[in-house]
Amino acid sequence: MLSSGIIDLAIGLAFVFGVTAALASVATELISRFLGLRGTYLLGGLRELLDSGQIGTDLTKVDKDYDAWKNIVTGISTNVPGISTKEKPQSATGAVLGSPILRSQGMVGDIISRKLLVQASKPGRPSVRNIEPKSPAPRSSRRSPQKRAPRSDLRSLPAYISPTAFADAVIDLLVPKPTAQTTTAGQTTAAGQTTAAGQTTAAGQTTAAGQTTLDTVRQSLQKIMSQNPVPDYMAPLMPLMTSVNTLVTTAENDITSVRTSIENWYNDHMDRVSGWYKRHVAWFTIIAGAILVILLNINAITIGRALYSNSVIGSAVATAAGNHPPCTTADSTCLGQLQTDLATVAQAGLPIGWATVSACASTRPACNWWQARGITSTTGNSAWQILLVVAGFLITIVALTPGARFWFDLLGKLGTLRSTGPKPTSSSS
C-alpha cells in the first residue's frame, strides 16, 4: 500500500499540472478565436468530406450552387418542362452550405456575405483565402494566388455545424422542388403515388405530415446514379451522391435510419478534423504553457520536493484538489476558482511564484537577485542549481501536453485512492 505522503505528492503534482494546463488551454482558445482557426478547419473539413480533387468553394456563390443542384434534381426527377438542368454547381460543399438550413447557422448574417474561398489543400491543412487574387500574381506555383483572408471574416465563420443540421441539409439536396400539378383520377405522380381526381401534389416532395419520405430520396438517387455518362453539370456533386447512395443502400428501411447513417458519417470525419485542429494548436498550448510556467515559476522539481518533505503542504494541496470539481473546458467560473485554490496553496507554502527563497529570507548572508529567486545557489554550485531549474520547467511544460482532462481524471482516481486509506489489519482469532 502506498504511503499517504506518496499519494499527496502525486495528487499535488496532478493538481498543479491540471490547473496550469487549463489556464494554458484558455490562452490557446483565445489565439484560435483571434485567428479564426475553428471556422477554417470546419469548412476545410467539409470540403475534404464532400468534394474531391482540386475543387474549391467560393462562399459568395453557395446559394447559386444550392439552387443549381435543386434544379438539376427537380428536372431529372419530375421531367417537368422549364426546369433548367444546365446550370453547373461549383462544388458539393457549396451546395450543402447554400442550403437554407446551414446558410446562416452559427454566424451573423448569411455565409454568402463572406468574400472567402475554401481552397483545395492537403488533408489536415485547410486553407481559406480571400476571393480576390494577388496583384501581381506570385511567381511560385506553391504559393496561393489568392490574397490572405481578413481575420475578421475568418472569426465570423461558423465554428460548429451539428450532425442533425448537416444530415437535413444533405437530404434536402435530394428532394425536388415543389412542382404542383393537378391530376386526374388514377394518375400516377412522379413520386409513384396514385391520386384521386383533381388532387394537387408536390411531385416526390413530402408526406401528409410534412416529412421527407425514404421513397423520395431513393427515387432521386436512382435517377442521379443512372446518368451514364454523367453530364458535366452534375460532376461536382457525384462524389457526394455516391457516398449518400451507399449510406442509403446500407441503412434500414426508414428515413430516420438514413439520417442517422449520414450523421455518423459526418461525425466520423469531424473526429479526424478535430485531430487535425488539436495537432495544429498543440504548439500554441506549449508556447502559452511555457510562458505561464516561467512567469509563475511553476517548477515541477521544486514543487515535488516541497510536497514530499512537508506533510502540511501536501495535505493542504490534496484537500484543495479534492474540494474542487475538474475544469476540462474554458469555463470562467471554474477557472477562477482554480486560480483562487492555486493562490491558497501557494500561501500554505507551495513554492509557486518568484518569492524570496528561505535561504535568503534573512539579511545575512546577502543574496543577489538570482540567488533570492532560487535560480543560482548561495553555496557556490550554481551550474547544478540552474540545471535543476531548467529541468523543472521542462518537466512542467511537457506535462501540459496531455491536457487538463487527463490530469483531472487522474486526480479523481488518486483522490479515491487517498480516501480509501490503508487496508485494515485483520483481528486476531
Side-chain angles (χ1 to χ4, degrees):
M1 184 69 185
L2 293 176
S3 65
S4 60
I6 296 295
I7 296 177
D8 287 348
L9 169 63
I11 290 176
L13 288 175
F15 178 69
V16 172
F17 293 157
V19 173
T20 309
L23 296 176
S25 67
V26 173
T28 300
E29 183 62 25
L30 292 175
I31 296 172
S32 176
R33 290 180 182 178
F34 175 76
L35 298 178
L37 290 180
R38 287 195 178 274
T40 298
Y41 271 83
L42 175 63
L43 297 187
L46 279 179
R47 196 215 70 83
E48 181 73 20
L49 176 66
L50 303 177
D51 289 307
S52 61
Q54 298 300 312
I55 298 177
T57 301
D58 185 345
L59 297 185
T60 63
K61 299 178 180 179
V62 295
D63 56 337
K64 297 179 180 178
D65 291 340
Y66 172 78
D67 291 336
W69 181 254
K70 291 285 282 189
N71 285 337
I72 292 173
V73 172
T74 305
I76 65 176
S77 298
T78 63
N79 297 319
V80 176
I83 299 295
S84 172
T85 60
K86 302 302 181 182
E87 298 178 13
K88 181 179 179 180
Q90 62 172 341
S91 69
T93 305
V96 172
L97 290 175
S99 167
I101 300 172
L102 298 181
R103 196 177 300 173
S104 59
Q105 188 177 85
M107 61 191 306
V108 178
D110 284 352
I111 199 170
I112 59 175
S113 64
R114 275 60 174 180
K115 297 180 179 180
L116 300 173
L117 175 68
V118 184
Q119 293 183 315
S121 57
K122 296 180 180 179
R125 300 180 63 183
S127 176
V128 178
R129 311 283 290 195
N130 196 303
I131 59 174
E132 297 180 1
K134 294 178 180 178
S135 181
R139 296 181 180 180
S140 174
S141 59
R142 296 183 178 181
R143 301 184 64 183
S144 173
Q146 310 301 130
K147 292 181 180 179
R148 288 185 177 273
R151 296 297 181 192
S152 58
D153 285 350
L154 294 178
R155 288 194 293 269
S156 69
L157 292 175
Y160 174 74
I161 293 177
S162 70
T164 302
F166 174 80
D168 288 342
V170 170
I171 292 176
D172 180 50
L173 294 178
L174 296 168
V175 179
K177 290 182 176 180
T179 54
Q181 17 184 350
T182 302
T183 64
T184 59
Q187 179 178 348
T188 301
T189 66
Q193 299 174 344
T194 303
T195 63
Q199 180 179 350
T200 300
T201 64
Q205 182 74 4
T206 58
T207 65
Q211 297 177 340
T212 301
T213 65
L214 182 59
D215 288 341
T216 302
V217 173
R218 284 178 171 171
Q219 289 167 9
S220 297
L221 281 171
Q222 183 180 6
K223 294 290 184 67
I224 292 170
M225 302 307 296
S226 64
Q227 302 294 314
N228 189 17
V230 177
D232 290 341
Y233 56 84
M234 293 179 62
L237 270 83
M238 289 309 294
L240 170 60
M241 293 298 112
T242 301
S243 298
V244 174
N245 185 55
T246 301
L247 294 172
V248 172
T249 302
T250 56
E252 297 179 4
N253 198 28
D254 62 89
I255 193 66
T256 302
S257 178
V258 172
R259 279 194 174 92
T260 302
S261 296
I262 295 175
E263 290 173 7
N264 292 337
W265 176 53
Y266 173 79
N267 283 331
D268 289 343
H269 183 74
M270 284 300 136
D271 286 342
R272 292 180 56 204
V273 176
S274 178
W276 299 341
Y277 171 80
K278 289 179 180 178
R279 285 194 294 271
H280 185 98
V281 301
W283 287 108
F284 298 159
T285 303
I286 292 175
I287 293 173
I291 294 174
L292 191 64
V293 165
I294 294 174
L295 286 178
L296 298 181
N297 187 25
I298 305 176
N299 188 311
I301 294 178
T302 305
I303 292 173
R305 184 186 299 160
L307 290 170
Y308 186 73
S309 60
N310 192 322
S311 60
V312 175
I313 297 176
S315 298
V317 175
T319 302
N323 292 337
H324 198 281
C327 283
T328 55
T329 59
D331 179 72
S332 58
T333 303
C334 187
L335 291 174
Q337 183 60 42
L338 279 180
Q339 294 180 64
T340 301
D341 290 343
L342 198 61
T344 301
V345 296
Q347 291 177 358
L350 193 69
I352 293 179
W354 291 104
T356 303
V357 298
S358 57
C360 296
S362 60
T363 57
R364 295 181 180 278
C367 298
N368 58 34
W369 188 91
W370 300 97
Q371 293 172 338
R373 271 51 183 187
I375 299 175
T376 58
S377 175
T378 58
T379 60
N381 194 5
S382 296
W384 177 248
Q385 180 65 21
I386 294 174
L387 181 61
L388 287 177
V389 171
V390 173
F393 286 156
L394 289 177
I395 292 172
T396 308
I397 294 170
V398 172
L400 304 182
T401 55
R405 182 180 296 275
F406 170 82
W407 290 113
F408 283 118
D409 287 345
L410 179 60
L411 192 60
K413 296 177 182 178
L414 291 172
T416 302
L417 181 62
R418 183 175 185 264
S419 62
T420 57
K423 180 179 179 180
T425 58
S426 59
S427 59
S428 59
S429 56

